[in-house]
């Protein structure tokens, strides 16, 4: 029986181009215009350093001068600023053994070759959502770009058109010309359909219909977290809200005849950047390890608004609300306290103990802004908990 090896299927130079082209063609956030491929990022990805600097020129400002023949006209200088973005250095390998291919007869090599681009798409969507979580945990951003209906209107916290329009209103006089897309969890999308908020359009020569709300394209993404008690966040985007670039540093096909009776693997190494325009890395931020990881993106201490940037020009706002229980998975259902102004999302859980899992302890520390090393053991995490005033 003939066996198709990865080395026979994947030619690295051709494979790299195929993966990059497929990412640009199939990533929903790129296709929708939310994430915009940006050469300013791409040109710096493989340069030395862990960060990317994005310079910008501020808008013209100041009062006009009276025009007379007795006074010279003053000349004002343009002011500039910069944003700092993170480089992600990531690697992933998939493979199979010779025995597994002989026994199963499945087209493993072809499957790996054809689905690597989709894998990176999923990674990029998770990075975007972790970044947004962190950005909106920054107090300055939250005060200007987050509408939390569970706090503003605790008696009527349910997702609906009124709260949605209030969130859009955070853009002031830019609201009608800025927002183009809305990204929601599938549970939120179900509630929107129940409320009759979705209009479905079938474009000519297109197989897939497009869903709209209030003339905004709706993107459904379950990487957007749904919190306990059915507390949901929707992100409303303007075009070009997020800059993006990626480059495949290398693709290698590795044959290891002694491993597991013979194993073939394909290894992708890449460098990428996903940046919410108008924000910047906090001056105090330093990655815990050699390169930044996704969990660090979801912390408010990682991000700031860039100096000189009008918060209105950050082209994404968040709308937080409660979903009806019918649309919430059973594991996430809970009692919303409504009338007293507190939602489950804002309640302070009891301090974790040795009975809690490591992930639960880390979640508590993250919620209280306590930093720790990724490899910190449970006992040391509990010491941090006990040292925290909460």
């Amino acid at each position: 029986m003939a066996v198709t090896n990865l080395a026979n299927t994947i030619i690295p130079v051709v494979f790299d181009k195929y993966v990059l082209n497929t990412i640009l063609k199939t990533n929903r956030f790129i296709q929708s215009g939310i994430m915009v491929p940006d050469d300013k990022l791409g040109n710096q990805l493989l340069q030395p350093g862990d960060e990317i600097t994005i310079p910008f020129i501020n808008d013209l400002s100041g009062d006009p001068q009276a025009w007379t023949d007795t006074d010279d006209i003053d000349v004002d200088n343009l002011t500039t600023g910069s944003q700092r973005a993170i480089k992600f250095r990531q690697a992933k390998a998939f493979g199979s053994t010779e025995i597994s291919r002989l026994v199963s007869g499945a087209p493993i090599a072809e499957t790996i070759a054809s689905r690597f681009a989709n894998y990176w798409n999923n990674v990029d969507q998770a990075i975007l959502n972790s970044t947004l979580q962190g950005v909106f945990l920054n107090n300055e951003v939250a005060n200007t770009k987050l509408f939390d209906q569970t706090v503003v209107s605790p008696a009527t916290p349910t997702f609906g058109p009124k709260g949605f329009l209030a969130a859009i209103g955070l853009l002031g006089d830019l609201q009608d010309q800025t927002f183009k897309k809305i990204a929601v969890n599938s549970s939120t999308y179900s509630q929107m359909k129940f409320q009759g908020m979705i209009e479905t359009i079938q474009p000519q020569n297109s197989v897939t219909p497009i869903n709209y709300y209030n003339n905004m394209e709706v993107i459904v993404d379950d990487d957007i977290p749904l919190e306990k008690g059915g507390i949901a966040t929707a992100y409303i985007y303007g075009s070009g809200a997020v800059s993006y670039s990626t480059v495949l540093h290398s693709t290698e096909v590795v044959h290891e005849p002694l491993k597991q009776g013979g194993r073939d693997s394909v290894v992708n190494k890449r460098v990428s950047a996903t940046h919410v325009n108008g924000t910047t890395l906090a001056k105090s931020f330093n990655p815990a390890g050699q390169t930044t990881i996704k969990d660090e993106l979801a912390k408010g201490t990682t991000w700031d608004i860039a100096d000189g940037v009008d918060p209105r020009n950050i082209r994404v706002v968040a709308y937080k609300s409660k979903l009806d229980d019918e649309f919430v998975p059973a594991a996430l259902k809970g009692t919303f306290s409504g009338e007293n102004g507190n939602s489950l999302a804002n309640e302070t859980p009891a301090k974790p103990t040795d009975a809690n899992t490591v992930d639960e302890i880390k979640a508590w520390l993250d919620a209280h802004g306590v930093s720790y090393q990724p490899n910190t053991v449970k006992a040391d995490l509990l010491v941090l908990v006990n040292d925290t005033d909460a």
Side-chain angles (χ1 to χ4, degrees):
M1 178 181 176
V3 176
T4 302
N5 293 317
L6 288 168
N8 299 328
T9 305
I10 296 173
I11 302 171
V13 174
V14 177
F15 183 72
D16 288 354
K17 291 180 180 178
Y18 165 77
V19 170
L20 289 175
N21 287 336
T22 304
I23 287 172
L24 295 178
K25 289 179 180 178
T26 60
N27 185 305
R28 294 176 298 157
F29 286 87
I30 293 175
Q31 288 299 301
S32 69
I34 291 172
M35 294 171 63
V36 178
D38 190 336
D39 290 340
K40 293 193 295 292
L41 298 181
N43 291 337
Q44 298 184 58
L45 285 177
L46 296 182
Q47 292 181 7
D50 295 323
E51 300 174 4
I52 294 173
T53 299
I54 309 168
F56 63 87
I57 299 175
N58 291 313
D59 286 340
L60 306 184
S61 61
D63 294 327
Q65 186 177 342
W67 182 19
T68 71
D69 62 3
T70 58
D71 296 306
D72 293 338
I73 298 174
D74 296 330
V75 179
D76 290 341
N77 293 323
L78 297 177
T79 60
T80 62
S82 63
Q83 303 169 41
R84 294 163 55 226
I86 296 173
K87 291 181 185 178
F88 298 99
R89 295 191 297 272
Q90 298 170 313
K92 189 64 179 178
F94 292 103
S96 62
T97 65
E98 293 177 29
I99 296 297
S100 69
R101 295 195 298 273
L102 285 169
V103 172
S104 70
I108 297 173
E110 293 88 339
T111 300
I112 292 173
S114 64
R115 294 187 183 177
F116 230 127
N118 186 62
Y119 167 79
W120 286 124
N121 277 342
N122 292 333
V123 170
D124 287 333
Q125 288 172 201
I127 286 174
L128 173 60
N129 285 307
S130 290
T131 300
L132 290 171
Q133 282 183 262
V135 165
F136 281 96
L137 284 174
N138 175 277
N139 289 332
E140 188 178 1
V141 175
N143 289 338
T144 56
K145 309 294 293 184
L146 167 66
F147 182 81
D148 189 342
Q149 191 164 338
T150 67
V151 174
V152 175
S153 183
T156 54
T158 306
F159 183 99
K162 185 176 180 180
F164 188 88
L165 292 174
I168 295 176
L170 296 175
L171 259 288
D173 57 5
L174 299 179
Q175 58 186 284
D176 289 335
Q177 56 185 302
T178 299
F179 289 122
K180 302 294 182 185
K181 320 287 179 182
I182 173 172
V184 297
N185 183 282
S186 60
S187 295
T188 307
Y189 179 65
S190 296
Q191 175 132 355
M192 294 172 77
K193 288 196 293 183
F194 172 75
Q195 294 176 342
M197 299 169 69
I198 301 297
E199 178 185 8
T200 301
I201 297 175
Q202 178 69 61
Q204 268 191 323
N205 303 319
S206 176
V207 175
T208 306
I210 300 175
N211 297 310
Y212 286 88
Y213 167 69
N214 200 29
N215 295 321
M216 299 179 197
E217 183 180 348
V218 180
I219 297 170
V220 182
D221 180 10
D222 278 337
D223 281 330
I224 300 173
L226 184 63
E227 299 175 35
K228 185 76 173 177
I231 307 301
T233 301
Y235 295 109
I236 309 163
Y237 297 92
S239 295
V242 181
S243 291
Y244 168 81
S245 189
T246 187
V247 60
L248 290 182
H249 179 265
S250 64
T251 297
E252 298 177 68
V253 179
V254 181
H255 178 65
E256 300 166 286
L258 302 181
K259 282 279 188 181
Q260 297 177 282
R263 182 175 69 184
D264 290 303
S265 306
V266 57
V267 185
N268 251 190
K269 299 172 185 174
R270 74 163 192 170
V271 185
S272 69
T274 298
H275 183 68
V276 178
N277 291 315
T279 68
T280 188
L281 281 174
K283 293 178 181 178
S284 60
F285 173 75
N286 284 300
Q290 195 177 75
T291 187
T292 303
I293 60 174
K294 183 167 68 73
D295 289 349
E296 294 174 301
L297 303 179
K299 297 181 179 180
T301 53
T302 302
W303 304 102
D304 273 329
I305 296 178
D307 290 340
V309 170
D310 183 339
R312 294 183 309 161
N313 290 324
I314 299 175
R315 296 194 170 195
V316 56
V317 299
Y319 169 37
K320 200 167 188 177
S321 61
K322 184 185 183 305
L323 302 182
D324 292 337
D325 279 349
E326 292 83 354
F327 303 106
V328 179
L332 294 175
K333 288 184 179 179
T335 303
F336 180 78
S337 53
E339 295 296 336
N340 65 15
N342 294 318
S343 73
L344 287 175
N346 295 320
E347 290 177 359
T348 302
K351 281 189 174 184
T353 67
D354 192 55
N356 293 92
T357 66
V358 169
D359 286 343
E360 289 170 342
I361 298 170
K362 287 183 175 180
W364 189 93
L365 292 170
D366 290 342
H368 290 79
V370 180
S371 60
Y372 52 85
Q373 297 294 324
N375 59 350
T376 304
V377 298
K378 187 175 184 178
D380 292 336
L381 291 172
L382 289 172
V383 171
L384 294 174
V385 169
N386 294 327
D387 289 344
T388 303
D389 293 329

